[in-house]
Amino acid sequence: MSTQMYPKAMRSVLLIILFILVCFGAGGTQGQTRRIPGDEMAALRDIAQQLGKTDWNFSLNECDENGNWQTPVIYGKYYNSTVNCTCLGDGCHISAIILRGQDLRGVLPKSIVNLSYLTILALNRNFLNGSIPPEWTSTKLEFLSLSENCLSGTIPKYLGRMTSLTNLSLESNMFEGPVPAELGNLVNLQYFVLNSNNLTGELPKELLNNLINLREVRLSSNSFTGKLPSFQSWGQLRILELEASGFEGPIPSNISLLRNLTELRITDLNGGGPSDFPSLENMTKMQKLMLRNCNISGSIPGYLGNFSALTELDLTYNRLEGNITNLKAAGKLQWIYLTRNFLTGPIEDWITSRPTTFQTDLSYNNFSEVVDYATSCNMDTLNLFRSFSNGNDLNSAKCLNDTPCTESRYSLHINCGGEKVIIGNTTYEADENKGDAAKFMHRASYWGFSSTGRLWDNKTTEYIAKNVSVLNMTYSELYIRARLSPLSLTYYGLCLANGNYTVTLHFAEITFRDNASYWSLGRRLFDIYIQDKLAWKDFDIEAAAEGVDKAKILNFSNVAVTNKTVEIRFYWAGKGTRTIPTRGTYGPLISAISVVSSKLSSI
């Protein structure tokens, strides 16, 4: 061996020796370097006691070869029980605790502060009470998720001292009051979620001005006040979600400065008069755009057709006019929702010839014609319910007049989402169509439904709910299935004799639970319209029925039928929870409908 090669060989031997010393210790074993320090094991015991976590095994205090400590098998999509370690020369230290979907019934543990290496804490989908301990301000946490719990009170001001945080989620709890200005000190924050709480007041200017590193913000289903604020300092933002946030319109013009947005959701703005379509032409990275019920008037801007990445567009419940030709060029636009506007002109060939995987909802508009009614009115991916200028008269409306009324009817009974049910002398007709994201279903010559919407956060959407436990209420067969919609659901009846009717709506909350688990924390709110008039705002089935799996029957008498038509509509205005028990659980739910003339006795 040459003198030049010898030093390299020696260095290799020394590196191997050093590796052995580091990994196994000078006189010990590999197991010793994986040991968790005693003070951290003591902290884990305290944490388990405070959380109500009973299945940790403390007989071993070592991390395995994957850097985990006693990780049980994962049960289901939303269950996770993991403790991760970071192993250094002096042993292994707890760096992450992830306890999801376990229905833990304790409180947030103060002893977290004793884990000085902990950077990740995820305790979502449990049943934890109380609030965030002030001791946590001494931690080095970077990721903190406490979503889907029973945490209450105000968001503590001292949370603003946890400046190492990059991710903070408090979604689906019971926090109330204003967002503290001190959170503006979390300058490293990138992911910020406060959906589905009871937060009020205006957003502090400290948040709006200081949190310049934000990438994702979700503030939906709260009761904020004041004008929709300017977000111009959030220039790095990718996702902004403000569904039913409580803010007043209009959408500020400087929202155009958020050029990095790929997803924008703003819905159900309070107050404010009609406003022009916001200037979004610079948001060329946009993939999902939702501006629902924002009182926007004017025409659909042409630049939307040039958004090459745009796949989903929801402009429902506005005051838009003109035609939709501008959207023709958006070749990737798979889902188009333009429901309940004032759009006019013909329904062009490019709409009716879209791929079968594309969904288009043009219901409740003033279009003039369509090339082929027989085909277009029966497409599973195109909803033309009340899409035409004569749509107010359903008995003569296009897409419905293929089977004219031959006699007057005095009642209508539908088992929504279920099979045919006979109760006494009354037959509830089957309604088993699976539904879809833009569905017009003319079930018979005298009734049908129109369903609008899809779950943006889910790849699939269920449009029929199924009971998850045994039902014991009277006539339970009416409640084992129910029809769902992520946005808007309309049932209509035709050929009814003019006069006064009683409309009876059957509800039962068959998705949430009433036990001490996160399944019981869901809140479903939606609006009920009869003959296009608001009959109930923010209807909550569980609250009205005083529990889950219990029937709630609403009777509306003296409902006038003047054009042989009844129309019952359910609308989700963005309120309530949306992640319990699974992400995408929200929207109106109806079990059965009866419409009976006052001339007949109801059953």
Side-chain angles (χ1 to χ4, degrees):
M1 182 177 295
S2 67
T3 54
Q4 291 182 335
M5 292 294 294
Y6 183 77
K8 291 183 179 180
M10 288 295 296
R11 284 199 297 269
S12 298
V13 172
L14 290 173
L15 286 173
I16 292 173
I17 294 173
L18 180 60
F19 175 80
I20 294 173
L21 291 174
V22 170
C23 293
F24 295 95
T29 66
Q30 184 177 4
Q32 287 179 312
T33 64
R34 295 188 180 278
R35 294 182 66 84
I36 301 172
D39 58 340
E40 295 189 29
M41 288 298 297
L44 282 177
R45 292 179 185 275
D46 290 342
I47 290 169
Q49 182 179 16
Q50 293 160 26
L51 287 173
K53 176 75 170 168
T54 60
D55 58 355
W56 272 343
N57 184 354
F58 292 98
S59 62
L60 297 176
N61 63 342
E62 299 176 349
C63 290
D64 64 22
E65 63 275 8
N66 297 313
N68 297 321
W69 176 75
Q70 298 298 102
T71 306
V73 177
I74 296 176
Y75 301 99
K77 178 180 178 182
Y78 292 104
Y79 180 94
N80 196 335
S81 182
T82 300
V83 177
N84 285 342
C85 304
T86 297
C87 294
L88 305 172
D90 62 341
C92 293
H93 302 278
I94 305 301
S95 58
I97 298 177
I98 303 171
L99 303 175
R100 291 189 177 120
Q102 299 183 39
D103 295 329
L104 301 175
R105 303 178 187 181
V107 297
L108 297 181
K110 298 178 181 179
S111 298
I112 291 293
V113 69
N114 296 322
L115 300 177
S116 57
Y117 289 83
L118 190 71
T119 60
I120 297 174
L121 180 61
L123 301 175
N124 43 313
R125 298 183 185 277
N126 286 293
F127 202 74
L128 300 172
N129 292 275
S131 190
I132 302 172
E135 288 83 357
W136 287 14
T137 59
S138 299
T139 67
K140 298 177 182 178
L141 284 173
E142 298 175 8
F143 182 103
L144 177 60
S145 178
L146 304 174
S147 300
E148 298 94 25
N149 278 289
C150 300
L151 305 178
S152 59
T154 59
I155 297 176
K157 296 180 180 180
Y158 52 74
L159 194 61
R161 300 206 298 269
M162 299 178 66
T163 55
S164 57
L165 284 176
T166 60
N167 293 54
L168 175 62
S169 179
L170 305 177
E171 181 172 5
S172 297
N173 279 284
M174 293 179 285
F175 288 112
E176 60 186 9
V179 177
E182 286 76 4
L183 295 193
N185 295 325
L186 304 180
V187 294
N188 293 307
L189 210 58
Q190 298 181 23
Y191 182 95
F192 188 38
V193 181
L194 299 179
N195 282 352
S196 302
N197 281 282
N198 301 308
L199 300 172
T200 58
E202 298 184 358
L203 278 188
K205 63 180 185 301
E206 289 82 358
L207 268 71
L208 298 168
N209 295 335
N210 298 347
L211 304 187
I212 60 174
N213 292 307
L214 286 171
R215 301 295 191 273
E216 183 172 337
V217 174
R218 300 181 188 268
L219 305 175
S220 298
S221 189
N222 279 290
S223 298
F224 294 115
T225 56
K227 295 288 185 181
L228 192 68
S230 168
F231 303 104
Q232 58 184 357
S233 296
W234 296 356
Q236 302 302 315
L237 208 59
R238 304 292 190 273
I239 297 175
L240 177 60
E241 181 191 314
L242 299 167
E243 297 184 54
S245 58
F247 290 118
E248 298 178 7
I251 299 171
S253 59
N254 57 11
I255 199 170
S256 61
L257 298 176
L258 304 182
R259 300 184 180 184
N260 289 304
L261 279 181
T262 60
E263 182 175 326
L264 175 62
R265 306 188 202 181
I266 302 176
T267 77
D268 303 284
L269 293 176
N270 293 323
S275 61
D276 294 334
F277 204 99
S279 299
L280 309 179
E281 57 266 30
N282 294 323
M283 298 183 181
T284 56
K285 299 178 182 179
M286 191 70 70
Q287 299 174 15
K288 299 180 179 182
L289 176 60
M290 177 188 293
L291 302 177
R292 179 198 303 157
N293 198 15
C294 293
N295 212 5
I296 300 173
S297 60
S299 59
I300 297 175
Y303 59 76
L304 289 181
N306 298 323
F307 282 11
S308 59
L310 191 64
T311 61
E312 302 190 41
L313 177 65
D314 183 346
L315 303 178
T316 57
Y317 289 81
N318 283 296
R319 306 173 63 84
L320 296 170
E321 301 175 338
N323 59 47
I324 58 176
T325 304
N326 290 336
L327 298 179
K328 181 179 180 179
K332 292 185 179 180
L333 192 49
Q334 186 170 358
W335 291 279
I336 299 177
Y337 295 99
L338 301 174
T339 305
R340 214 169 182 86
N341 280 284
F342 301 102
L343 299 168
T344 56
I347 296 177
E348 301 169 346
D349 288 344
W350 71 271
I351 287 290
T352 57
S353 61
R354 277 159 57 84
T356 56
T357 55
F358 285 29
Q359 301 276 349
T360 310
D361 197 303
L362 304 179
S363 56
Y364 291 96
N365 277 289
N366 296 320
F367 294 106
S368 57
E369 60 182 301
V370 66
V371 176
D372 183 355
Y373 289 111
T375 301
S376 301
C377 293
N378 293 287
M379 293 176 61
D380 287 336
T381 58
L382 176 61
N383 188 350
L384 296 179
F385 177 70
R386 286 186 60 165
S387 294
F388 305 99
S389 55
N390 68 340
N392 289 326
D393 183 5
L394 292 185
N395 287 282
S396 61
K398 297 169 176 131
C399 287
L400 288 175
N401 60 5
D402 53 335
T403 308
C405 298
T406 57
E407 60 179 347
S408 294
R409 304 181 63 87
Y410 290 87
S411 65
L412 173 65
H413 307 276
I414 307 168
N415 184 21
C416 305
E419 61 186 9
K420 182 174 75 172
V421 171
I422 299 175
I423 298 177
N425 295 323
T426 301
T427 298
Y428 287 82
E429 299 194 36
D431 176 32
E432 298 179 282
N433 188 287
K434 68 177 183 178
D436 216 329
K439 184 68 177 180
F440 167 50
M441 200 284 296
H442 193 34
R443 176 65 178 84
S445 61
Y446 52 89
W447 74 271
F449 72 80
S450 169
S451 180
T452 302
R454 69 181 294 270
L455 304 176
W456 280 32
D457 297 317
N458 281 20
K459 294 182 179 180
T460 60
T461 301
E462 294 292 334
Y463 296 90
I464 294 179
K466 304 174 180 64
N467 64 306
V468 294
S469 65
V470 176
L471 302 179
N472 296 314
M473 74 276 282
T474 305
Y475 306 136
S476 61
E477 55 266 54
L478 290 179
Y479 302 97
I480 60 176
R481 298 288 185 273
R483 187 160 295 283
L484 288 165
S485 175
L487 174 55
S488 179
L489 174 64
T490 301
Y491 278 91
Y492 62 88
L494 305 176
C495 306
L496 295 169
N498 289 338
N500 289 331
Y501 286 73
T502 295
V503 173
T504 302
L505 305 179
H506 298 258
F507 301 95
E509 182 53 71
I510 57 176
T511 301
F512 303 142
R513 301 293 87 214
D514 60 358
N515 52 13
S517 75
Y518 74 88
W519 281 63
S520 69
L521 302 177
R523 302 187 293 275
R524 183 193 305 276
L525 285 79
F526 56 91
D527 302 337
I528 303 172
Y529 292 82
I530 298 177
Q531 299 298 58
D532 224 19
K533 295 181 180 179
L534 181 63
W536 197 307
K537 179 71 174 173
D538 295 338
F539 178 63
D540 183 331
I541 300 173
E542 182 179 353
E546 298 182 348
V548 302
D549 296 341
K550 296 181 179 180
K552 180 61 182 179
I553 301 174
L554 301 182
N555 291 298
F556 300 92
S557 58
N558 298 319
V559 174
V561 171
T562 58
N563 61 352
K564 299 183 179 181
T565 304
V566 68
E567 185 175 325
I568 302 162
R569 179 164 57 90
F570 309 95
Y571 171 73
W572 182 61
K575 298 181 181 179
T577 56
R578 58 195 67 202
T579 61
I580 300 172
T582 60
R583 183 166 295 280
T585 302
Y586 58 81
L589 178 153
I590 176 68
S591 298
I593 294 174
S594 289
V595 180
V596 178
S597 170
S598 58
K599 297 180 180 180
L600 302 176
S601 58
S602 60
I603 296 178

